[in-house]
Amino acid sequence: MSADVAVVGIGITPFGRHEGVSGLAQGAAAVRHALDDAGISWRDVQFATGGSQDAGNADTMVNVLGLTALPFFNVENACATGGSSLSVACSLIGSGAYDLGVVVGFDKHQRGAFDPNPSDWGLGDWYGEVGLMLTTQFFAMKIQRYLHDHGIAPRVLAKIAAKAFRNGSRNPNAWRRTPLTEDEIAGAAMISHPLTQYMFCSPGEGGVALVVCRADLATRYTRQPVYVRSTVVRSRRFGSFEVFSPWLAPDRAASPSVEAAQAALGEAGVGPEDVDVAQLQDTESGAELMHMAETGLCEDGEQEALVDSGATEIDGRLPINTDGGCIANGEPVGASGLRQIYESVLQLRGDAGDRQVPGGPKVALTHVYGAPGVSACTVLST
């Protein structure tokens, strides 16, 4: 998808826990904020896409936003739901079918770790009975092997998480807004070795919405349009070891994140060196570390030096997860990918306030990764 689409409105609700407020209501509130940002009403919207994992069908929010007969496309793709919803919207606009639409993601998860049903993912009951549906174990096994294969010290995991909490402390919409030291993170309860409690994100609540339109119409709605240069979704290939994989092939294949990022950057006509700010899936701090290389932002094994040098900090040469990522914000699955877009738009507009990347960033990369091996990557620019 080329630069046929612009983001002209953004809206968000604070992430965290909101007793007595449904996930759907949080999504609808985000839509209203995005409409206000674009200076339009719900009646002006020609179509909508969006979804959630646990908080109901997105299309039912027309009951509170307005019964205007618009087509509403429900999208569900695990943690890649938000990125996939944007991809569908861009395809609809790029095809010429519509000029103006809304993309929304929201969720409201139960407390505690995700507890998926194996049969929902094409797996037998045995997979859950041996404990493998608990994704903390998958992520721990994957980062153990990665650290070993590339000679990276486990201590870097605490540094990545500490950055997330620092950045989250600057974000008024983040759930976790108290900075934690590397020692506090490293010394926290061990969940799945080498990942401690504060290296993981938590399932949560929140909603995010975007108003998108044909690029040539963008200045009707905003003085600061941000253009979607590309948006790509990929699933896993044979041999790729991903969440809920029931076996490991002898010959390894690359993660879908590798192909999604390569395609997104290629379609946008930019290289990793052109990215000024990146938002990467950080289900836990090891995921951010691996995704730095999978998206092409560095080579395997270079992460430790980059993190130690401060390159991934807000004022570094490659700022990553400037809003605190999933670790500080939590993960309402349907909203996570769109939170990354929201943050990227703020950064490219120069409206990120206390966490603004200096120097006027021009190009942003977002990356989400969801079970059972789906990745969505987007390139945005001014």
Side-chain angles (χ1 to χ4, degrees):
M1 181 61 59
S2 61
D4 299 320
V5 178
V7 180
V8 295
I10 55 175
I12 195 169
T13 64
F15 280 30
R17 291 288 178 192
H18 307 287
E19 299 300 330
V21 182
S22 71
L24 194 78
Q26 294 174 59
V31 171
R32 294 189 185 102
H33 293 321
L35 295 174
D36 289 344
D37 191 40
I40 62 174
S41 72
W42 180 246
R43 289 189 177 276
D44 298 315
V45 178
Q46 297 174 358
F47 75 96
T49 67
S52 76
Q53 178 171 287
D54 292 333
N57 293 329
D59 67 299
T60 60
M61 70 173 58
V62 299
N63 293 333
V64 294
L65 292 173
L67 300 172
T68 59
L70 89 172
F72 202 125
F73 303 92
N74 288 323
V75 179
E76 184 177 345
N77 226 356
C79 299
T81 292
S84 300
S85 298
L86 177 60
S87 184
V88 170
C90 289
S91 295
L92 290 168
I93 292 175
S95 72
Y98 305 102
D99 296 331
L100 179 72
V102 160
V103 185
V104 60
F106 59 93
D107 246 311
K108 187 181 183 79
H109 303 297
Q110 294 182 353
R111 297 178 185 275
F114 289 117
D115 185 24
N117 185 338
S119 63
D120 292 340
W121 304 91
L123 299 166
D125 289 343
W126 67 268
Y127 198 82
E129 290 166 357
V130 298
L132 291 175
M133 291 303 291
L134 190 62
T135 57
T136 56
Q137 296 191 67
F138 164 81
F139 290 119
M141 289 188 293
K142 193 167 186 179
I143 192 60
Q144 281 179 10
R145 177 166 180 167
Y146 190 87
L147 295 175
H148 172 270
D149 287 353
H150 300 289
I152 299 173
R155 64 173 184 80
V156 75
L157 300 174
K159 291 183 73 72
I160 290 171
K163 171 180 66 70
F165 289 114
R166 279 196 303 275
N167 292 354
S169 72
R170 303 184 182 188
N171 178 5
N173 292 307
W175 185 6
R176 312 297 190 193
R177 301 198 60 208
T178 302
L180 295 176
T181 67
E182 293 171 33
D183 287 343
E184 288 173 322
I185 294 166
M190 184 64 67
I191 302 299
S192 293
H193 186 78
L195 299 168
T196 69
Q197 177 181 355
Y198 298 129
M199 295 175 188
F200 283 98
C201 75
S202 298
E205 304 176 22
V208 185
L210 316 172
V211 177
V212 293
C213 73
R214 272 176 34 200
D216 60 322
L217 303 178
T219 54
R220 293 185 184 181
Y221 308 103
T222 181
R223 290 178 297 175
Q224 293 179 292
V226 170
Y227 299 98
V228 182
R229 296 297 176 185
S230 63
T231 176
V232 173
V233 180
R234 292 287 186 269
S235 61
R236 60 185 173 189
R237 289 188 183 274
F238 178 79
S240 181
F241 180 52
E242 310 300 334
V243 182
F244 305 151
S245 293
W247 39 261
L248 180 60
D251 296 323
R252 297 290 298 276
S255 162
S257 297
V258 174
E259 293 194 41
Q262 287 177 346
L265 292 167
E267 289 183 21
V270 299
E273 68 279 2
D274 299 311
V275 174
D276 298 312
V277 58
Q279 314 300 329
L280 306 181
Q281 180 85 18
D282 59 331
T283 312
E284 33 72 36
S285 53
E288 178 176 320
L289 184 142
M290 289 184 285
H291 291 147
M292 288 169 63
E294 289 180 357
T295 56
L297 296 176
C298 69
E299 296 295 326
D300 290 314
E302 292 182 347
Q303 297 97 321
E304 185 174 358
L306 286 172
V307 172
D308 283 344
S309 72
T312 61
E313 301 283 349
I314 288 174
D315 59 355
R317 71 168 181 84
L318 182 60
I320 294 175
N321 291 332
T322 49
D323 66 351
C326 289
I327 291 175
N329 286 276
E331 186 167 29
V333 162
S336 256
L338 297 185
R339 173 188 54 77
Q340 294 182 340
I341 302 294
Y342 178 95
E343 173 68 10
S344 298
V345 170
L346 283 183
Q347 292 288 347
L348 296 180
R349 286 179 175 178
D351 290 340
D354 193 33
R355 63 184 187 279
Q356 178 63 49
V357 170
K362 306 295 184 189
V363 177
L365 172 69
T366 72
H367 158 272
V368 285
Y369 170 87
V374 179
S375 181
C377 291
T378 300
V379 177
L380 304 159
S381 74
T382 54

